Amino acid sequence: TALTENRPIESADVELTDLRGRVPETPLSSTDDVLPQDGTIGEQLIAPAELCGRGRTAVATFRTSNPRNHYPHTHFSARVEYDRAGTWEVVATEADWSTKCTFTPRRNVAGPYEVTVSWDIPTSARPGRYRFVHTGIATQISGDTTESTEFRGVSDSFRVE
């Protein structure tokens, strides 16, 4: 095999297929989002540690909407940003292997979902201030009416050294 013999592997043209609507139901229940009674969708619940070392993992948790409501193809719902002299610059998104989103279904009908965003900080990361940004769409269904509202959550900043 090419891998064991250290030979290059030819790339294959692969067409990506959108499987929404064709996959079995998930345990994420209804697509109607339950808004929190004591806060907002996008709100940070757990802040990242103030200081994170290279080669370690930074983590933040946000209130969020059901991920089945909105699967973005044109933008990213989780990203890591670096503070470059007062301007926030995207350095990683959930499309990167280093960044993961773990959704937790609500435990009862009275609570929203949570998402934990983690970033495995590269050893080559620039020292400085970083933050997580989480965006999405919350959906409320009432009879025949569906109302969708965009939201954005920003974590406390953390330093990488």
Side-chain angles (χ1 to χ4, degrees), residues 44 46-53 57-60 121 130 132 155-160:
Q44 172 186 264
I46 301 173
E50 290 181 27
L51 179 63
C52 300
T57 301
V59 177
I121 303 168
Y130 290 79
F132 291 104
S155 76
D156 294 349
S157 64
F158 57 96
R159 281 191 347 266
V160 170

Side-chain angles (χ1 to χ4, degrees), residues 74-153:
T74 57
H75 71 281
F76 298 105
S77 64
R79 59 187 183 270
V80 179
E81 295 180 341
Y82 170 74
D83 183 4
R84 181 187 292 273
T87 301
W88 290 100
E89 169 185 299
V90 176
V91 294
T93 70
E94 78 268 18
D96 294 299
W97 287 107
S98 63
T99 310
K100 298 169 192 65
C101 296
T102 305
F103 289 88
T104 304
R106 59 184 178 240
R107 290 174 181 76
N108 58 55
V109 288
Y113 288 82
E114 295 178 5
V115 62
T116 298
V117 182
S118 63
W119 179 47
D120 296 334
I121 303 168
T123 55
S124 60
R126 293 173 282 197
R129 279 186 349 134
Y130 290 79
R131 69 181 183 184
F132 291 104
V133 177
H134 171 57
T135 59
I137 295 177
T139 301
Q140 294 285 278
I141 301 170
S142 178
D144 293 338
T145 305
T146 300
E147 182 180 330
S148 297
T149 305
E150 292 186 17
F151 66 87
R152 179 176 189 262

Side-chain angles (χ1 to χ4, degrees), residues 40-56:
T40 60
I41 296 282
E43 175 183 16
Q44 172 186 264
L45 294 174
I46 301 173
E50 290 181 27
L51 179 63
C52 300
R54 294 182 195 119
R56 306 297 296 247

